[in-house]
Amino acid sequence: MTKIVITGAGNVELTRKILSDLFSCTDLAGALHIALHDVDPARLATAEALACRLDAESGAKARVDAARTRPALLDGADFVICQFDVGGYDALLRDLEIPRRYGLRQTLGDTIGVGGLFRALRTIPEMLALAADMAGRCPDAWLLNYTDPMAALCWAVRAGSPLRNVAGLCYSVRDTHALLADLVGRELDEIVFRTAGVTHQAFVLRFESGGRSLYPDLDPLIAGDHDVRSEIYRRFGYYPTESSEHAAEYVPWFLPHESEVRRLGLPVDEALRRSARKLDSYERLRGSLASGEPLLARWKHFEMASEVIHSMVTGVPREVYLTLPNHGLIDNLPAEACVEVPARVDGSGVHPVAIGALPVPLAALNRTYLNVVELTVTAALEERRSAVYQAAMIDPSTSATLPLAAIEALCDELIDAHGALLPPGIRGGRR
């Protein structure tokens, strides 16, 4: 049987999507062992009930286990899907509310900026513990990570653990391709795309049909658009993969300026609204479980983890955009970084596509982002408080908003607020 461990299974909407996909595959019937892990007993119980319901509805004949302790669940695993959230809603609230008092605006705060920095500092120790458990109990398994900040977590696992099979999964490339196809009125299979960069800051390098670029068709369609993605596209020449509210956090030109926030309609503190919607979704799913309502969903497109697993188990080849170690994939980005590129996935594994060099302006944007990522990983692995300050000082939006003394004071307050969730050396003030 193929054993799939889902850690953070209490994120039940994602668990539902993944299991609905896999349980609906007739070529996997009777061949799946699903092991669910979550530290929250109520959410774990909901996830287990959901998995059993989906198995019954689909006739997948899967084995389903669940436990709050992780190591034993990992024995013999082939795939480990990570979707946990260290600190949960309370930590997110601190990441947004404390910087707001300093005059620092954020939208999602989960990848870059001080919010992304502290989310990484909370999460990297847990990721390294998971990687260490996997190295001891299922060293050949693939870690398929959904948790943000993606670029920092994947880099930290590669640098701080012996685990080698690590891939990050993000929807932004897939969603951007679908958006662009819709804008120019074409089907996806009519278009040739090639996209690359860093998670949440990749760019569509090829957007073609019949050997002709479709960018000239796009230009008049978005000429009057006032959003961050369009602004970046018009100035850098390639369409970015991340939503405007996210893309605004990676550069210094928007969130620090009230006039730009108003002009572009940037949703400050959008993360809190999204988190509230997730809580509502969880409660609705619990109600559906209690009422006996059918829960098996058949999606138009597979969930990304489902695609990777199905292709590797059955040998059916697919192209999937993944975050992978930059071993010669993008020439003008750091070799140690993890980058987002297309990969062919089949029965022999994951085969990333080498991109070559990015256009110089795009590589410059990515390197700015990766500078923050590298300092964040350094701060976590070396447990060095000074690297926390430096990551925040280098961050584009933070540095455009606050002077140095305020950045240090903000970091100190966030370190005190998050307390035991952070590496001990950072809490202790080691410099």
Side-chain angles (χ1 to χ4, degrees), residues 69-80:
T69 54
R70 186 178 60 215
L73 276 183
L74 294 170
D75 287 338
D78 299 290
F79 302 93
V80 178

Side-chain angles (χ1 to χ4, degrees), residues 15 27 39 58 77 103 119 140 145 155-156 210 236 260 266 273 276 281 298 317 322 365 373 375 381 401 425 428:
T15 298
D27 48 1
V39 296
S58 64
R119 184 181 177 92
D140 296 325
N145 178 50
W155 188 332
F236 286 83
E260 290 295 272
L266 291 174
R273 291 181 284 274
S281 177
R298 300 181 189 275
L322 300 172
L365 282 173
V373 171
L375 282 165
L381 297 186
T401 305

Side-chain angles (χ1 to χ4, degrees), residues 102 104 389 392-393 397-410:
Y102 285 76
L104 186 60
Y389 299 149
M393 291 169 184
S397 187
T398 304
S399 63
T401 305
L402 300 177
L404 293 174
I407 292 173
E408 287 194 6
L410 169 58

Side-chain angles (χ1 to χ4, degrees), residues 6-329:
I6 303 179
T7 183
N11 180 355
V12 291
E13 276 302 321
L14 183 53
T15 298
R16 177 184 176 223
K17 290 179 180 180
I18 294 168
L19 294 184
S20 288
D21 287 343
L22 295 174
F23 288 174
S24 297
C25 294
T26 56
D27 48 1
L28 296 179
L32 296 176
H33 176 187
I34 306 299
L36 306 171
H37 170 258
D38 203 284
V39 296
D40 184 318
R43 282 187 171 268
L44 181 62
T46 300
E48 184 177 17
L50 170 65
C52 291
R53 173 74 64 80
L54 295 175
D55 180 57
E57 291 180 15
S58 64
K61 300 178 182 177
R63 174 181 169 184
V64 177
D65 297 327
R68 289 180 63 193
T69 54
R70 186 178 60 215
L73 276 183
L74 294 170
D75 287 338
D78 299 290
F79 302 93
V80 178
I81 299 171
C82 177
Q83 54 186 42
F84 52 54
D85 180 9
V86 178
Y89 182 82
D90 289 341
L92 170 64
L93 198 61
R94 291 191 286 271
D95 282 343
L96 295 176
E97 286 190 338
I98 294 172
R100 190 193 308 130
R101 287 197 280 100
Y102 285 76
L104 186 60
R105 298 185 184 93
Q106 299 178 92
T107 52
L108 299 179
D110 65 355
T111 301
I112 198 169
V114 290
L117 166 61
F118 278 86
R119 184 181 177 92
L121 295 175
R122 296 193 306 272
T123 309
I124 286 172
E126 292 299 322
M127 289 293 292
L128 294 179
L130 171 60
D133 288 344
M134 289 179 63
R137 292 176 177 266
C138 53
D140 296 325
W142 272 90
L143 174 58
L144 304 178
N145 178 50
Y146 280 97
T147 302
D148 282 320
M150 185 72 68
L153 297 186
C154 291
W155 188 332
V157 169
R158 293 281 303 184
S161 85
L163 195 68
R164 300 295 88 185
N165 293 337
V166 182
L169 302 92
C170 176
Y171 307 109
S172 59
V173 172
R174 175 189 287 185
D175 291 350
T176 299
H177 290 177
L179 170 66
L180 291 175
D182 184 61
L183 285 172
V184 299
R186 292 177 179 258
E187 296 297 324
L188 274 170
D189 58 11
E190 298 177 49
I191 302 175
V192 175
F193 288 104
R194 182 58 80 235
T195 299
V198 183
T199 310
H200 293 173
Q201 198 188 61
F203 296 88
V204 180
L205 307 174
R206 290 183 66 193
F207 176 36
E208 301 173 358
S209 182
R212 183 180 70 85
S213 174
L214 295 175
Y215 272 130
D217 297 357
L218 177 68
D219 291 341
L221 298 172
I222 65 170
D225 289 358
H226 297 291
D227 58 74
V228 170
R229 296 176 96 173
S230 298
E231 296 279 354
I232 291 175
Y233 165 60
R234 281 191 281 267
R235 287 163 173 80
F236 286 83
Y238 298 89
Y239 202 77
T241 58
E242 194 46 65
S243 64
S244 287
E245 56 265 33
H246 233 325
E249 296 187 293
Y250 295 77
V251 293
W253 312 307
F254 304 113
L255 285 169
H257 309 289
E258 176 63 31
S259 60
E260 290 295 272
V261 171
R262 289 197 307 269
R263 181 176 74 89
L264 300 170
L266 291 174
V268 176
D269 293 345
E270 170 66 13
L272 294 177
R273 291 181 284 274
R274 292 191 183 189
S275 185
R277 289 195 293 271
K278 285 183 180 179
L279 292 172
D280 290 343
S281 177
Y282 174 71
E283 293 301 330
R284 286 196 302 273
L285 190 140
R286 289 184 64 202
S288 297
L289 275 169
S291 69
E293 175 185 336
L295 290 170
L296 184 71
R298 300 181 189 275
W299 315 101
K300 182 178 180 182
H301 300 291
F302 267 20
E303 181 59 47
M304 295 182 70
S306 312
E307 288 187 326
V308 172
I309 292 169
H310 184 266
S311 288
M312 291 183 72
V313 172
T314 67
V316 175
R318 287 184 176 86
E319 182 178 87
V320 184
Y321 276 80
L322 300 172
T323 293
L324 298 165
N326 185 27
H327 294 162
L329 299 178

